[in-house]
């Protein structure tokens, strides 16, 4: 029989290589500069920005595929809309678009995959999927880490204890769920305002305005930011998510200088 591979890899070698490199990365992620909770568009944008500026970034993503709400476009029609203001940024992402009616139209699958690829190609950013953030670590009046469990364990409802990953800043970019902000709010009895009605123009401004540091070391971006401060939802338009991720990265860099 003709052999097609000069360097065949055995079953056990495949397993060994995966275990070795995955756990090397996971162990290294125990202490980082920034943990981004949720790999949606605002989180991935912040990750790329922080990674490009030399910060050690860990993304914890609950689902199998990062990308958050970008993949499905609107009603499963795989297009998203982005404001023309972001034209240069889309070119930087090498993301093709069609200009129509003073706006940009982008294939939503390409949008998701390009955000993921551009963030992860930054060597300083490591993403772990199927990891659910279930709590926060709090030390000396600041959020200093996240408590993480495997998503499979969480879905099965098994009584298995989670692990802690420490960091200087946590970004809650978990979208409508605003997981970390809600955990913080429950623990310190700080009520959140929840998101408001649909209004694309208002919502896009709100999501950038509401991107902020909620507590020492805890930042919110994207729809999570609107859930903290009562911002409008905006439907499948994504310039606000990109600008929110860029703003979050800037605020985090300023904060890290002080700790
Ligand atoms: C780890 C988690 C956890 C957890 C959730 O929803 P996202 O896409 O987030 P944003 O804010 O960057 O983008 C919002 C946008 O997609 C959207 O929903 C818009 C524009 N809606 C408008 C409207 O009117 O509805 O991504 C959040 C990510 C997802 O990948 C989740 O799986 C993940 O966070 N996540 N990751 N631990 N506990 N909870």
């Amino acid at each position: 029989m003709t052999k097609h591979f000069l360097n065949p890899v055995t079953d056990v070698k495949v397993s060994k290589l995966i275990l070795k490199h995955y756990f090397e990365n996971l162990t290294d992620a125990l202490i980082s500069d920034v943990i981004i909770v949720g790999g949606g568009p605002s989180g991935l944008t912040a990750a790329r920005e922080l990674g490009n500026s030399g910060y050690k970034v860990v993304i914890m993503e609950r689902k199998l595929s990062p990308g958050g709400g970008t993949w499905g476009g609107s009603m499963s029609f795989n297009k998203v809309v982005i404001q023309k203001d972001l034209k240069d940024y889309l070119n930087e992402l090498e993301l093709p678009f069609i200009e129509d009616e003073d706006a940009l139209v982008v294939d939503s699958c390409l949008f998701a995959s390009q955000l993921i690829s551009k963030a992860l190609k930054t060597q300083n950013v490591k993403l772990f999927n199927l990891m659910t953030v279930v709590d926060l670590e709090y030390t000396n009046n600041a959020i200093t880490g996240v408590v993480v469990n495997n998503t499979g364990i969480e879905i099965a409802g098994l009584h298995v204890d989670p692990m802690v990953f420490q960091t200087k800043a946590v970004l809650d970019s978990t979208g409508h769920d605003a997981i970390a902000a809600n955990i913080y709010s429950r623990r310190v009895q700080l009520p959140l305002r929840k998101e408001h009605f649909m209004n694309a123009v208002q919502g896009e401004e709100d999501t950038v305005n509401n991107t902020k540091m909620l507590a020492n070391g805890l930042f919110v971006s994207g729809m999570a930011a609107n859930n903290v401060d009562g911002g409008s939802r905006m439907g499948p338009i994504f310039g606000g998510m990109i600008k929110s991720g860029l703003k979050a990265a800037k605020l985090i860099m300023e904060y890290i200088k002080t700790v």
Side-chain angles (χ1 to χ4, degrees), residues 9-158:
V9 183
T10 63
D11 296 318
V12 165
K13 199 193 265 188
V14 171
S15 304
K16 187 177 151 196
L17 285 169
I18 289 171
L19 290 173
K20 179 179 166 210
H21 289 275
Y22 182 83
F23 284 102
E24 249 174 42
N25 281 355
L26 194 66
T27 307
D28 188 53
L30 284 171
I31 296 178
S32 62
D33 292 323
V34 186
I35 294 180
I36 296 186
V37 188
S42 69
L44 289 166
T45 301
R48 173 173 180 261
E49 202 66 10
L50 288 157
N52 277 338
S53 302
Y55 292 84
K56 181 176 169 185
V57 180
V58 171
I59 306 176
M60 293 293 179
E61 168 51 50
R62 181 177 61 184
K63 291 192 179 154
L64 179 58
S65 314
T70 52
W71 291 101
S74 179
M75 268 183 72
S76 81
F77 311 144
N78 63 310
K79 300 283 179 206
V80 293
V81 174
I82 299 180
Q83 295 87 340
K84 257 170 71 176
D85 309 61
L86 274 297
K87 204 167 163 177
D88 288 346
Y89 192 75
L90 297 198
N91 283 328
E92 200 183 308
L93 288 180
E94 298 174 279
L95 188 59
F97 52 79
I98 291 172
E99 213 170 316
D100 196 5
E101 301 215 21
D102 261 346
L104 310 175
V105 182
V106 174
D107 179 290
S108 66
C109 294
L110 200 48
F111 182 44
S113 53
Q114 205 66 344
L115 286 174
I116 297 165
S117 140
K118 290 289 176 181
L120 296 187
K121 277 186 185 157
T122 317
Q123 289 300 306
N124 298 323
V125 178
K126 293 281 181 296
L127 180 139
F128 300 92
N129 59 348
L130 294 174
M131 292 290 189
T132 299
V133 169
V134 294
D135 210 336
L136 299 169
E137 190 200 48
Y138 185 78
T139 321
N140 298 330
N141 201 30
I143 299 300
T144 49
V146 296
V147 182
V148 180
N149 216 334
N150 177 278
T151 297
I153 290 174
E154 285 295 307
I155 290 173
L158 301 174

Side-chain angles (χ1 to χ4, degrees), residues 38 40-42 60-62 68-69 133 173 176 223 233-235 241:
S42 69
M60 293 293 179
E61 168 51 50
R62 181 177 61 184
V133 169
S173 52
H176 297 276
M223 267 325 286
R233 61 184 302 192
M234 69 297 286
M241 297 303 142

